[in-house]
């Protein structure tokens, strides 16, 4: 962070005062406090990054540079965002419970896909999400999913509630 001072000896063409960097020996307590904010922000950012991400930003000198680099790395340009969205939509469309995967594991994996889609600006209705989960289940679950389709309002059924019902049914199957 640069602490600036007004240079009263020179004005710009527009008539605005010219700003020059204030020497450290001239800093007031308030200036020191402001300058330390960048160090605090950098410290917070450093503590939240894993080793891999830290290696990518360690050459940045200010918290603003770090933040801009993180945005570039995580969000990328429009093309990168579009590619991420396409992949996330494909994950959603092709979601199937894997052989040997528990409903709890599938719940975590599928919820991760939903979170990724939301972070990329893609939203599905409760009905679309619930139907996608029901289609992801193996044939042995058809009786349960058909019963749920007929007895519940899929527009109001939340993902959490769906998985709670399915986990209860899974438990009954194992008995």
């Amino acid at each position: 962070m640069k602490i600036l001072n007004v240079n009263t000896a020179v004005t710009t063409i527009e008539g605005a005062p010219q700003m020059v960097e204030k020497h450290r020996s001239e800093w007031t307590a308030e200036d020191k406090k402001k300058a330390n904010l960048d160090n605090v922000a950098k410290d917070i950012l450093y503590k939240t990054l894993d080793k891999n991400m830290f290696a990518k930003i360690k050459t940045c000198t200010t918290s603003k540079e770090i933040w801009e680099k993180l945005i570039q790395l995580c969000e990328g340009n429009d093309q990168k965002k579009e590619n991420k969205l396409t992949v996330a939509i494909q994950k959603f469309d092709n979601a199937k419970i894997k052989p040997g995967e528990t409903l709890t594991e599938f719940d975590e994996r599928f919820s991760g896909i939903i979170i990724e889609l939301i972070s990329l600006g893609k939203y599905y209705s409760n009905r679309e999400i619930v139907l996608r989960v029901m289609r992801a289940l193996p044939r042995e679950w058809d009786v349960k999913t058909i019963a749920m389709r007929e007895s519940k309002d899929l527009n109001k059924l939340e993902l959490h509630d769906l998985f709670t019902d399915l986990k209860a049914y899974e438990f009954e199957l194992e008995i």
Side-chain angles (χ1 to χ4, degrees), residues 73-144:
L73 291 169
C74 296
E75 293 182 8
N77 59 24
D78 290 339
Q79 180 65 41
K80 187 175 180 181
K81 288 178 190 176
E82 190 64 34
N83 290 342
K84 284 182 178 182
L85 181 59
T86 301
V87 170
I89 290 171
Q90 288 174 345
K91 284 182 193 176
F92 177 83
D93 291 341
N94 299 324
K96 292 271 186 212
I97 192 163
K98 297 175 182 176
E101 185 177 36
T102 66
L103 266 175
T104 301
E105 293 166 339
F106 179 63
D107 180 6
E108 290 174 13
R109 187 167 59 86
F110 190 80
S111 295
I113 294 169
I114 298 298
I115 291 167
E116 184 179 1
L117 286 164
I118 290 169
S119 73
L120 294 168
K122 178 69 175 169
Y123 299 91
Y124 288 99
S125 69
N126 283 351
R127 180 178 184 77
E128 291 171 305
I129 292 170
V130 166
L131 289 173
R132 177 68 256 156
V133 169
M134 289 180 176
R135 287 191 298 269
L137 298 171
R139 287 234 180 259
E140 306 88 68
W141 289 78
D142 285 354
V143 172
K144 178 65 175 173

Side-chain angles (χ1 to χ4, degrees), residues 1-2 33-49 54 56-73:
M1 176 178 267
K2 292 181 181 180
K33 189 176 178 182
K34 285 180 184 175
N36 192 45
L37 288 176
D38 191 62
N39 292 331
V40 171
K42 285 193 299 188
D43 186 54
I44 291 168
L45 290 168
Y46 289 156
K47 288 179 179 177
T48 59
L49 299 174
F54 178 78
K56 295 176 182 177
I57 59 95
K58 68 181 178 185
T59 58
C60 298
T61 56
T62 66
S63 58
K64 184 176 187 326
E65 283 180 52
I66 293 169
W67 190 254
E68 289 170 351
K69 183 74 169 182
L70 289 172
I71 289 171
Q72 177 190 14
L73 291 169

